Amino acid sequence: SSSSSSSSLSSVLGQISFNAATARIAPTCTSTDCNREAPVTSQTFQLTNYDLDFDIAISARDLSARASIYIPSGSILVSDAPGNGNATFTVERVSDEVLRSAVTYIHRSRKGDFDSATFTAAQTVLSPAFKCSASQDPFNFEISFRSLIDNYELINPGNPNKTDICLATLTPSSQSWVCISELVAERNLNPITNTTETRSKGRGTGWFKSCKDVNGEQLVFAFAHIPKQASVSNGSQNLWYLYQIIIVLCIVGGLVIILTICWCTAVSSLH
């Protein structure tokens, strides 16, 4: 039965929820050691002339690093303004309330793959989430965020590059998660994780240029499950509508010409 199939599949995979009515899997980490639950330590770093690589989230379970930040040398420079002699980068923890209040909207071309038109925070967030600020923003060079990712093996079955996973931001104005690389082509060319490489398995790497949105509000960053658009239409099926528009324009143009000729003829006859 569907119920027994759901039960057996859940017991095998362990960390998923299964909808028996639609037979669609909605990956959700339910273990006691989810990467997204690793607490981010709020801290400020003094930057030097060298690259900086530091951990920002440590698991309380085994004290292993789950997420880190890499800042290339020269990304943030010392300010020339008086009293601002230090180049700094600050990481802040994000409250559970903020994460739970956000939603992820699924592109209409992928809604048939899931049992809901939106994802909850538990289905979306795959890594520790953080906010940041810097003494210079935007940065001169992109900064890298790296993290272990929850449920990577259950997302994009059969696709080694996991292009349904992206580095995303939670935008304050909309309270929704959006991939930093929104275009399908960008996500295909720059996959977050590649499970064909053993050393990269279950890990994601993404880059960002600023801690703020266009309105100067702090963004929240995390790796997220945001299903990309299924395909990009080539528009060939809409040619008939183009033909109709051309035909209508030709008819209207012809009528205008005929009326103009008739008017000119009538005016000429009066003289």
Side-chain angles (χ1 to χ4, degrees), residues 8-42:
S8 61
L9 184 59
S10 294
S11 63
V12 171
L13 297 180
Q15 295 184 2
I16 63 172
S17 58
F18 185 76
N19 187 308
T22 60
R24 294 170 187 149
I25 298 173
T28 303
C29 180
T30 57
S31 78
T32 57
D33 193 28
C34 297
N35 293 304
R36 71 164 185 265
E37 301 293 343
V40 170
T41 302
S42 297

Side-chain angles (χ1 to χ4, degrees), residues 67-87:
S68 63
I69 293 284
Y70 170 71
I71 304 178
S73 174
S75 299
I76 301 172
L77 300 178
V78 175
S79 173
D80 294 329
N84 292 320
N86 294 324

Side-chain angles (χ1 to χ4, degrees), residues 155-223:
I155 298 171
N156 284 105
N159 181 348
N161 288 327
K162 306 297 180 181
T163 48
D164 271 0
I165 299 173
C166 69
L167 178 57
T169 59
L170 178 55
T171 307
S173 58
S174 64
Q175 283 298 295
S176 61
W177 288 97
V178 178
C179 293
I180 291 179
S181 297
E182 294 188 59
L183 299 179
V184 172
E186 292 179 330
R187 295 178 67 174
N188 287 340
L189 292 174
N190 301 289
I192 291 302
T193 183
N194 188 334
T195 57
T196 60
E197 298 180 12
T198 303
R199 61 189 177 89
S200 300
K201 187 171 291 187
R203 297 179 181 272
T205 301
W207 301 82
F208 60 100
K209 192 67 181 289
S210 173
C211 293
K212 303 175 182 178
D213 66 6
V214 293
N215 298 316
E217 297 289 333
Q218 269 187 305
L219 294 167
V220 174
F221 295 87
F223 287 109

Side-chain angles (χ1 to χ4, degrees), residues 49 66 69 97 101 105 129 141 153 165 168 181 193 197 239:
N49 294 327
R66 300 302 175 91
I69 293 284
E97 289 76 16
S101 65
Y105 297 98
F141 307 112
E153 73 277 16
I165 299 173
S181 297
T193 183
E197 298 180 12
L239 288 179

